[in-house]
Amino acid sequence: MELDDLKIKYDALQEKYGAKELDSIYHGGCVNHPDICFVFMNPTGRNIASCKTWKGIKSPWIGTKNIWDLFYKLDLMDEEIYQTIKSMKGSEWTEEFAEKVYDDVKAHKYFITNLGKCTQIDARILPDSVYKEYLELLKQEIEIIKPKVVVLFGNQVSSIVLNQKISVSQCRKKLFKGKINGTEYPFYSVYYPVGNGRFNMDKSIEDIKYIKENLK
């Protein structure tokens, strides 16, 4: 199975749980043994790649600014690309520039995805039941790309993926292990770094730097 094989399933779930006028947002970056797989919650309409007229890659955070602060401060983004992102409006992203950004993500050997691929108009909270419908698909993603480590953002995503009640504040820098089809992967839970969680970005950076330093 390849990553593209999962898209038809994501699109079906978009019809079920997402905004009907928007498309699913899938994933992006290094797909061949990335150092880190970053797992966020779900996309919103702020991602301009969710527009049905967008013909380029449909990867997370296209047309947004704040999340790229995290990757830049982790030394996971080229200076020129970062400064370009910060200087432009979201609506000014082109399909070609999105490709350039994700080529840089790929070069820095990480993979960005969401547990839920169902794009919403806004940042409304989704129930656990919706995310759980994506869990096996996320596991298939992980099995395909085979990352060295998986970083889960926030309590809700961490709790669903790790199948236990997680409070990020109580398990910072704690290693969790999970098996997918017999292969064991290391997982870490970190603070959600954008939106309402932006004030926790420094903690996210601190913990991810620790994770990077302990990559095997």
Side-chain angles (χ1 to χ4, degrees):
M1 178 176 287
E2 297 182 357
L3 287 173
D4 283 350
D5 296 329
L6 303 177
K7 290 181 179 179
I8 189 171
K9 298 178 181 179
Y10 294 141
D11 291 344
L13 288 171
Q14 175 71 22
E15 286 294 316
K16 188 174 182 181
Y17 296 116
K20 300 298 186 289
E21 65 270 34
L22 299 175
D23 283 346
S24 296
I25 294 297
Y26 308 121
H27 47 253
C30 178
V31 300
N32 186 20
H33 304 297
D35 289 337
I36 306 176
C37 169
F38 290 106
V39 183
F40 293 90
M41 297 176 71
N42 64 282
T44 74
R46 286 191 62 204
N47 186 327
I48 63 171
S50 65
C51 296
K52 292 187 177 294
T53 55
W54 180 272
K55 302 304 180 185
I57 57 172
K58 291 186 177 287
S59 297
W61 304 111
I62 291 175
T64 69
K65 288 181 185 286
N66 293 339
I67 192 60
W68 304 107
D69 294 342
L70 175 82
F71 296 124
Y72 176 71
K73 292 175 181 179
L74 289 168
D75 296 321
L76 293 176
M77 173 150 277
D78 176 78
E79 171 81 24
E80 181 182 354
I81 290 177
Y82 173 71
Q83 294 300 338
T84 302
I85 289 173
K86 298 302 286 185
S87 68
M88 66 196 306
K89 297 177 181 178
S91 59
E92 294 174 336
W93 281 57
T94 63
E95 294 164 1
E96 293 75 19
F97 182 66
E99 286 279 2
K100 186 175 181 179
V101 170
Y102 270 91
D103 282 345
D104 188 66
V105 171
K106 186 184 300 183
H108 284 86
K109 296 204 70 178
Y110 61 104
F111 180 84
I112 306 175
T113 191
N114 291 290
L115 172 55
K117 274 69 173 179
C118 49
T119 309
Q120 307 294 325
I121 293 294
D122 52 26
R124 67 192 64 187
I125 297 175
L126 296 179
D128 287 0
S129 59
V130 173
Y131 286 120
K132 286 178 179 177
E133 289 215 34
Y134 285 92
L135 182 56
E136 288 306 313
L137 295 172
L138 176 68
K139 290 180 179 179
Q140 289 178 46
E141 277 189 13
I142 293 170
E143 185 178 9
I144 290 167
I145 68 171
K146 296 178 172 57
K148 292 181 181 178
V149 64
V150 181
V151 171
L152 307 169
F153 286 105
N155 295 336
Q156 189 177 21
V157 167
S158 299
S159 297
I160 291 169
V161 174
L162 297 173
N163 194 31
Q164 58 182 288
K165 184 66 175 177
I166 296 293
S167 173
V168 172
S169 63
Q170 302 299 312
C171 62
R172 294 182 65 188
K173 303 174 185 174
K174 178 180 177 180
L175 171 64
F176 296 88
K177 294 183 179 180
K179 282 191 175 181
I180 300 175
N181 270 355
T183 299
E184 189 172 76
Y185 294 91
F187 292 83
Y188 287 90
S189 177
V190 304
Y191 282 100
Y192 203 85
V194 290
N196 292 334
R198 184 164 175 77
F199 62 92
N200 286 319
M201 183 176 285
D202 287 346
K203 295 176 184 175
S204 302
I205 291 168
E206 176 187 331
D207 291 356
I208 296 169
K209 283 183 175 179
Y210 168 85
I211 293 165
K212 286 178 63 184
E213 290 168 358
N214 286 274
L215 282 174
K216 293 183 179 179

